Amino acid sequence: MLNLNFHPAGRHQLQIPGPSPVPDRLLRAMSYPTIDHRGPEFGRLGLTVLEGLKKIFQTQHPVVIYPASGTGAWEAALVNTLSPGDTVLMYETGQFASLWRKLAQRLGLQTELVALAGTCAKTGLPNSWRFGVQADLIETRLRADSAHTIRAVCVVHNETSTGVTSDIAAVRRAIDAAKHPALLLVDTISGLAAADYRHDEWGVDVTISGSQKGLMLPPGISFNAVSPKALAASQKARLPKAFWAWDDIIDMNRSGYWPYTPNTNLLYALAESLDMILGEGLPEVFARHQRLAAACRAAVSAWGLEIQCADSAVYSPVLTGVVLPQGFDADAVRQLIYARFNMSLGTGLGQLKGRMFRIGHLGECNDLSLLSALAGCEMGLRLAGVPLSGSGVQAAMDLLQASAEPQARYP
Ligand code: PLP
């Protein structure tokens, strides 16, 4: 049975790539009394979060909020835009792209996979899980589809299983270059509010996201940002939907309400999170994530270990995947770090199980919390006997110290 009395001194260091640590400000907001979801205060809260979210997704168009995890928002994107038997082109970048494909198949869609071929000679890992989306492969496939049977292209913006991002604007250009009418559906469940993301400018039709990553909320709400083209497609889409249907939700959202009981207390936290993120400024939030990610990678390089992402142009600002040398079990190292230093790191998922662990550096993370995470990793790696070529903590300190600026709040 779960021992709820287990309470080691100090904070547990939650360093997984989501759920990310929830700031105290959000936890306090969530403890406000639950109010009438048909009352006047609620309408104001609803309008506030719906407007604020548009700024985060960088869209002028509706953002739908679901009381569901990200998987629900994946399903919502598909059932609102597609019909039984439709073909969707899904790009393989890692475990989450694979899971989305499985979900699409369960809904009765025909899925066609595009993936980068080959394996990395050094690590034996598949190239498709080490590089971002190659937009030219999508363009070639769409050009060959002269009958336009492909109805949607699905890609993951920040692949949480690998720490690789993808160039979404390039995917849009590929679709346009092929003069193909397919919708562009993008999962940025772990990228939103951490990695630069522009729904309108990049011509995305449906963006899927979740609460428990860059927005710093607990798990429990997720999103669809919807373009006018996707909204038009939803009028004709015939996959069965009721709870996920955009029309009733968007209609009632105009006055700040929902057709069902929304997740009131998570919406309090969302209002607080939007205030924090927009108050800091989106460019500043992205730059902060890039800087911490660079410090984390400096540490991995100083250890002499391999970063899962093999293309420096698409390193994730959200997490870093650390590949262990052959013969070392990454999960055993993670468990050792958990037991000795009270820190959770992300496990290797799917084909990467046991080969790598993931360090999350998103949301409520700063120079010192990252350094303490890296110190935990360094000690754990040494205890596990993994040969290291130098101190990653020192390398990260050097980078952070050289680029440290006074915090805006404490001039
Ligand atoms: N897509 C990505 C990129 C994710 O990182 C996750 C979860 O980590 C999901 C989809 C699934 O979301 P959820 O676990 O909230 O259902």
Side-chain angles (χ1 to χ4, degrees):
M1 206 181 123
L2 188 66
N3 179 3
L4 296 173
N5 290 325
F6 173 72
H7 185 80
R11 279 197 176 226
H12 176 71
Q13 187 117 9
L14 183 64
Q15 218 70 41
I16 59 174
S20 60
V22 181
D24 294 348
R25 236 177 107 174
L26 270 61
L27 289 173
R28 278 195 294 275
M30 282 170 58
S31 70
Y32 300 157
T34 303
I35 54 171
D36 175 7
H37 61 291
R38 310 273 178 223
E41 294 93 349
F42 190 90
R44 283 196 291 277
L45 172 67
L47 289 175
T48 303
V49 294
L50 289 165
E51 272 314 300
L53 277 174
K54 287 186 182 177
K55 297 191 183 115
I56 302 282
F57 283 88
Q58 306 205 43
T59 181
Q60 304 289 326
H61 304 293
V63 179
V64 174
I65 306 177
Y66 293 108
S69 84
T71 304
W74 262 349
E75 176 161 342
L78 298 174
V79 296
N80 274 288
T81 52
L82 299 163
S83 297
D86 275 356
T87 301
V88 289
L89 193 65
M90 306 193 91
Y91 197 101
E92 166 79 340
T93 42
Q95 178 73 355
F96 289 103
S98 308
L99 290 176
W100 195 10
R101 180 172 182 226
K102 195 167 144 197
L103 185 146
Q105 288 168 335
R106 284 186 171 205
L107 292 172
L109 295 167
Q110 301 296 321
T111 63
E112 206 183 298
L113 199 62
V114 199
L116 189 60
T119 48
C120 166
K122 195 164 159 197
T123 61
L125 298 171
N127 285 334
S128 57
W129 286 43
R130 300 202 73 196
F131 292 86
V133 170
Q134 310 292 303
D136 57 326
L137 296 180
I138 293 178
E139 184 178 334
T140 306
R141 180 63 194 97
L142 292 181
R143 278 187 192 279
D145 179 38
S146 49
H148 295 169
T149 51
I150 294 169
R151 314 300 295 190
V153 175
C154 298
V155 293
V156 175
H157 171 230
N158 185 71
E159 180 51 81
T160 327
S161 60
T162 61
V164 181
T165 60
S166 282
D167 183 347
I168 302 303
V171 177
R172 174 80 266 167
R173 286 196 298 274
I175 299 173
D176 291 348
K179 297 193 173 46
H180 199 289
L183 294 166
L184 174 56
L185 311 186
V186 179
D187 164 345
T188 190
I189 287 179
S190 60
L192 192 77
D196 190 8
Y197 190 83
R198 307 167 189 206
H199 177 88
D200 286 2
E201 189 184 317
W202 294 347
V204 181
D205 291 302
V206 187
T207 298
I208 298 112
S209 196
S211 58
Q212 73 273 28
K213 314 270 187 181
L215 289 175
M216 306 173 289
L217 267 67
I221 53 177
S222 54
F223 314 98
N224 276 180
V226 180
S227 77
K229 184 174 164 188
L231 212 50
S234 73
Q235 314 287 318
K236 296 190 191 130
R238 286 179 290 100
L239 275 174
K241 58 191 158 296
F243 178 73
W244 304 116
W246 290 335
D247 51 2
D248 286 354
I249 303 173
I250 291 175
D251 195 35
M252 283 201 68
N253 277 175
R254 285 186 234 285
S255 50
Y257 297 93
W258 271 262
Y260 47 75
T261 314
N263 207 328
T264 310
N265 292 54
L266 281 179
L267 296 183
Y268 292 149
L270 179 58
E272 205 68 22
S273 152
L274 295 173
D275 209 38
M276 287 168 74
I277 292 168
L278 297 172
E280 182 177 353
L282 274 183
E284 288 76 12
V285 169
F286 301 148
R288 173 163 56 76
H289 281 83
Q290 290 288 3
R291 181 170 164 275
L292 293 177
C296 186
R297 291 192 302 270
V300 181
S301 301
W303 290 329
L305 298 179
E306 187 83 10
I307 294 170
Q308 172 66 22
C309 178
D311 178 357
S312 61
V314 289
Y315 282 141
S316 170
V318 173
L319 74 141
T320 301
V322 183
V323 183
L324 291 198
Q326 302 271 11
F328 288 94
D329 176 0
D331 276 341
V333 176
R334 267 188 341 103
Q335 276 152 21
L336 186 154
I337 290 170
Y338 176 79
R340 298 280 186 107
F341 305 115
N342 193 20
M343 172 163 72
S344 293
L345 294 164
T347 185
L349 294 170
Q351 319 185 33
L352 299 176
K353 184 117 197 84
R355 290 300 314 279
M356 58 94 97
F357 63 81
R358 297 168 299 148
I359 306 174
H361 29 74
L362 67 160
E364 182 81 335
C365 183
N366 65 16
D367 293 16
L368 297 189
S369 58
L370 178 68
L371 285 171
S372 91
L374 294 172
C377 292
E378 190 161 315
M379 290 188 285
L381 286 162
R382 284 214 189 102
L383 283 169
V386 178
L388 302 181
S389 50
S391 170
V393 176
Q394 187 61 57
M397 283 203 303
D398 291 345
L399 185 147
L400 292 172
Q401 186 181 314
S403 59
E405 283 181 13
Q407 307 258 309
R409 281 165 292 170
Y410 309 118

